[in-house]
Amino acid sequence: LAKQRGKSRIEAFDVAYDKTLQRRLVIEHDLRGSGKRKELSLAYQPIVDLASGRIVGAEALLRWQHPLLGAISPDEFVQIAEEAGLIGELGAWVIEHTCRELAASYRRGRTLWMSANVSLRELRAPRYADRIAATLRRHGVPPSLLVLEMTESAAAQDIAQLSGVLQTLRALGVRIALDDFGAGYSSLGQLRRLPVDILKIDRELVAEPPRAPALQDAPLVDVIVTLGHRLGLQVIAEGVETAGQREVVESDGCQLCQGFYFAGPLSPGELDRLLQEQPAYAPV
Ligand code: C2E
Ligand code: MG
Ligand code: MG
Ligand code: MG
């Protein structure tokens, strides 16, 4: 009986493994041309300046509506795209469409900036900065309205090359944000090595009190905000979900916030409506 059970457990494992593998292969296969088939879109999540109460920026978040699998999270397909060598194509689609949206917003007289997420593999591709410059120029968008968000991985060895690309982008006027700071691989070390303009505090730090007993009352957000400002960086708190979190983050000195408490990722139309509703000047 035990043997039987063991066997069926292995079969169950095989089936599950098959499904995972199959899904992965389908995703990898279908990612090609997903942009041309109009399955991709960008959702824009507002970034709010607490002092004025106004939306000052928006992060473009990639969405993929697969015809059979439904909506697939970027956390899942971006990694597959990286491993399958498809991230260049995907990233180019993201930059192109972010710049289109930026151009439309800029023509309406807005100074709203937009950020796009880029994978390290994209940044390392030859002539990456040139292509960004060309896309901005083609759309008539001031480079200062574009922010590129990057997350460093543990494997980043070619810091010198990476820094070079970031320097070129910054010389154009494009700003660089270090995403998910304080979680995973993002660390203090990078801040010393990489030229960045903006720090985005990971939502884990915003949402939860530190777990380690030694850190129980350590104001981690406060420390990161102070550090960021000392380095001359702008600091954005990510994942602000409640009024309480907003208050904590604000009292920690963080002026810029992003999170469901303010707004989730929106369609361009929804973002536009919110921007029209907001006061021209909102003294607090
Ligand atoms: P991220 O860049 O850190 O983006 C923030 C993620 O947190 C988004 O998830 C957003 O929807 C979610 N979020 C925003 N506010 C809240 C909140 O208050 N609470 C919670 N729990 N979540 C919140 P999303 O859109 O699923 O994206 C996941 C990740 O996928 C992104 O994390 C980013 O690393 C990656 N990604 C998204 N779009 C792109 C892209 O165009 N290119 C690349 N390379 N990566 C992308
Ligand atoms: Mg991001
Ligand atoms: Mg993030
Ligand atoms: Mg993330």
Side-chain angles (χ1 to χ4, degrees):
L1 194 75
K3 207 174 171 185
Q4 250 172 26
R5 235 187 272 131
K7 192 182 169 210
S8 67
R9 217 180 294 139
I10 288 169
E11 275 168 2
F13 172 80
D14 281 350
V15 169
Y17 180 75
D18 262 12
K19 271 198 177 155
T20 314
L21 187 66
Q22 213 174 58
R23 181 176 167 93
R24 202 196 148 84
L25 290 173
V26 168
I27 288 177
E28 182 177 329
H29 179 268
D30 292 353
L31 258 177
R32 295 167 212 269
S34 53
K36 287 202 183 89
R37 292 191 305 271
K38 308 256 187 266
E39 293 164 11
L40 300 179
S41 63
L42 291 172
Y44 298 86
Q45 187 175 32
I47 295 164
V48 176
D49 172 35
L50 294 181
S52 65
R54 290 172 58 82
I55 298 168
V56 292
E59 177 176 8
L61 294 159
L62 188 54
R63 298 290 176 257
W64 181 19
Q65 187 67 33
H66 187 279
L68 295 176
L69 300 174
I72 304 175
S73 159
D75 276 326
E76 183 176 9
F77 70 78
V78 164
Q79 199 196 335
I80 294 174
E82 286 178 0
E83 288 163 9
L86 298 169
I87 195 67
E89 186 189 328
L90 204 62
W93 190 96
V94 169
I95 293 298
E96 170 65 23
H97 286 78
T98 303
C99 285
R100 260 188 221 180
E101 211 53 47
L102 258 181
S105 157
Y106 183 62
R107 279 196 302 269
R108 289 190 179 116
R110 291 187 180 136
T111 53
L112 183 85
W113 47 267
M114 290 185 187
S115 63
N117 292 281
V118 296
S119 128
L120 283 188
R121 295 207 191 187
E122 285 175 77
L123 284 171
R124 292 197 184 100
R127 301 184 48 251
Y128 181 77
D130 292 348
R131 278 180 284 134
I132 295 285
T135 308
L136 286 165
R137 218 178 306 121
R138 183 156 41 79
H139 287 284
V141 171
S144 60
L145 294 184
L146 181 67
V147 174
L148 298 178
E149 298 192 6
M150 51 164 283
T151 315
E152 199 186 13
S153 71
Q157 317 112 331
D158 46 354
I159 293 291
Q161 192 218 338
L162 193 59
S163 297
V165 178
L166 299 183
Q167 292 290 16
T168 310
L169 288 165
R170 293 177 80 206
L172 291 171
V174 173
R175 284 178 297 157
I176 308 296
L178 200 50
D179 207 350
D180 303 340
F181 189 78
Y185 298 122
S186 267
S187 73
L188 215 54
Q190 297 171 39
L191 269 187
R192 290 173 32 231
R193 294 178 298 169
L194 296 173
V196 302
D197 305 279
I198 298 169
L199 258 193
K200 296 191 78 173
I201 304 178
D202 191 76
R203 66 167 183 263
E204 247 178 70
L205 294 184
V206 172
E208 289 173 44
R211 278 194 215 96
L215 292 174
Q216 209 103 84
D217 299 311
L220 279 191
V221 172
D222 172 54
V223 167
I224 293 175
V225 171
T226 306
L227 171 79
H229 288 164
R230 280 279 181 92
L231 295 172
L233 309 176
Q234 280 188 298
V235 182
I236 301 173
E238 286 194 277
V240 178
E241 293 183 351
T242 66
Q245 287 167 1
R246 179 214 143 117
E247 252 172 63
V248 169
V249 160
E250 189 171 23
S251 72
D252 284 341
C254 192
Q255 286 268 319
L256 300 170
C257 284
Q258 178 181 355
F260 296 161
Y261 175 69
F262 302 96
L266 307 171
S267 71
E270 289 169 325
L271 176 65
D272 200 56
R273 238 164 288 138
L274 263 192
L275 287 166
Q276 276 172 25
E277 279 167 16
Q278 72 178 355
Y281 174 63
V284 179

